[in-house]
Amino acid sequence: MNLTITGYSTALFATWYFVEELGILFDAGEGITANLLQKSRKIKHVLISHADRDHLTGLLQFNQLNARSSLHIHYPADCGSFPALADFCQKFDPHIQGTTWHPITDQSRIAIKDDFVVEPVQNGHVKAVEGVTKSLSYKVMQIKRKLKPELANLSGLEIKKIKEEKGIEATTNEIRTNVISYSGDTPVEDYERFNHSKILIHEATFIDQVANNKENRHPHSYLEEVMEMVASIEIEQLILGHFSSRYSSEHIDTAIRELRHKYAINIPVYRVLPGQVHWDILQNKGVKVNK
């Protein structure tokens, strides 16, 4: 399916990505409602990666304008900021009701639309402690079932009988498609994590490893390790964001082009530049970094 993805992502200041057809918002930094306006009403599920302020401070205004029974805000289960924020929203705007706030872990499964499910993935942006969930990446999976080839010649009634006697697994195979993966803030830890994603939205806060090592209290990715990972796995399209505002657009684009060549990356690569909202990223030629 064709997806309309709009986003803003500048390290330290604000990050959010809106996927229009799926009604989902990855992270909720400042500027969501000011930029999306009425389109923000299309959002049914907000998926927050962690409790840094640049990923959540847009929630107050967004919730004030959009609270309703069909709005769900999902957040890492052990981040105390979110229950506090939900409580503040209720007290600050007592007439606004309906939003459901969901603490989630990497064991959660979030049904968002038809056959689409979101699977949270623990990441290492916040130091891992066993049994504690404070930072998540997300994978949006489309899950369908397809008739087993060996049953293709049976009649509908025969297939129905088998299904009633032995269950749906006896008649169909599950087909899982990773439609979108969203890294949130995280270092590159496991190449398989985002393998086989049709679209990968990944942070690349720093251009070089030296800068990353100097500021790794909560580790981020640097551009080359992301590109090296992408060259080693199978994805169809890459969106890079969360660049530090210390870098100019020319610096970022030059580095991406050099690394595309170094690692022989031939898939489409798009970038979200610091300080800019990028509309319909996958169709916006000005956001694509060519060879």
Side-chain angles (χ1 to χ4, degrees):
M1 65 184 302
N2 294 322
L3 295 176
T4 306
I5 302 174
T6 294
Y8 178 98
S9 186
T10 305
L12 189 63
F13 294 98
T15 288
W16 53 267
Y17 291 92
F18 168 47
V19 186
E20 187 168 340
E21 290 79 3
L22 298 178
I24 61 177
L25 181 73
F26 293 116
D27 278 325
E30 292 181 6
I32 304 162
T33 49
N35 285 283
L36 294 181
L37 302 176
Q38 289 87 347
K39 275 198 171 186
S40 64
R41 293 288 292 177
K42 293 185 176 184
I43 296 168
K44 302 293 192 298
H45 293 271
V46 181
L47 304 159
I48 307 294
S49 63
H50 63 294
D52 284 354
R53 300 306 182 260
D54 54 324
H55 292 256
L56 61 81
T57 50
L59 280 174
L60 183 63
Q61 175 73 347
F62 172 77
N63 186 64
Q64 189 269 330
L65 291 174
N66 295 295
R68 59 201 186 279
S69 59
S70 60
L71 179 61
H72 303 269
I73 298 175
H74 309 271
Y75 61 90
D78 298 301
C79 290
S81 301
F82 295 99
L85 184 57
D87 183 61
F88 177 78
C89 287
Q90 188 175 28
K91 292 177 179 177
F92 194 77
D93 295 311
H95 59 292
I96 302 299
Q97 298 181 5
T99 303
T100 306
W101 298 67
H102 304 271
I104 59 173
T105 72
D106 58 0
Q107 300 301 308
S108 303
R109 295 296 178 265
I110 305 161
I112 58 167
K113 181 179 180 180
D114 301 328
D115 49 4
F116 288 90
V117 174
V118 175
E119 299 181 354
V121 181
Q122 186 104 15
N123 68 45
H125 180 58
V126 178
K127 185 177 180 180
V129 177
E130 187 174 353
V132 175
T133 302
K134 288 200 170 186
S135 186
L136 294 169
S137 304
Y138 293 100
K139 296 195 292 187
V140 180
M141 308 296 298
Q142 185 174 30
I143 302 176
K144 295 185 175 182
R145 302 201 72 90
K146 185 176 181 180
L147 184 67
K148 291 186 174 182
E150 61 268 26
L151 304 181
N153 294 324
L154 298 183
S155 69
L157 288 175
E158 290 173 314
I159 294 170
K160 182 180 179 181
K161 184 179 180 180
I162 296 172
K163 181 179 176 180
E164 290 174 346
E165 293 177 350
K166 299 182 179 180
I168 193 171
E169 289 78 11
T171 59
T172 59
N173 294 318
E174 184 179 80
I175 308 298
R176 294 168 53 85
T177 303
N178 188 341
V179 178
I180 308 176
S181 292
Y182 174 67
S183 72
D185 286 3
T186 181
V188 173
E189 301 169 290
D190 175 8
Y191 281 16
E192 283 300 311
R193 173 173 298 171
F194 302 124
N195 198 6
H196 304 297
S197 303
K198 286 188 172 295
I199 302 166
L200 172 59
I201 304 173
H202 206 288
E203 71 122 313
T205 304
F206 301 106
I207 297 296
D208 58 80
Q209 186 174 9
V210 174
N212 187 36
N213 288 340
K214 288 180 179 178
E215 303 182 35
N216 64 356
R217 183 172 65 89
H218 292 309
H220 288 276
S221 296
Y222 65 97
L223 180 60
E224 182 160 5
E225 68 175 346
V226 177
M227 299 295 271
E228 184 177 13
M229 174 189 68
V230 167
S232 302
I233 61 178
E234 294 182 16
I235 67 169
E236 295 183 11
Q237 299 184 89
L238 173 64
I239 299 172
L240 295 165
H242 205 268
F243 290 103
S244 169
S245 58
R246 75 188 66 181
Y247 303 119
S248 68
S249 57
E250 293 79 9
H251 190 172
I252 292 169
D253 286 353
T254 298
I256 292 173
R257 290 190 184 99
E258 290 176 350
L259 291 168
R260 282 187 63 126
H261 177 73
K262 178 177 179 179
Y263 291 104
I265 295 172
N266 296 315
I267 62 170
V269 177
Y270 307 85
R271 83 287 188 266
V272 176
L273 293 173
Q276 299 183 25
V277 175
H278 291 289
W279 297 88
D280 197 1
I281 293 169
L282 300 181
Q283 300 302 319
N284 184 349
K285 294 181 180 178
V287 186
K288 187 175 181 180
V289 184
N290 296 317
K291 295 181 180 179

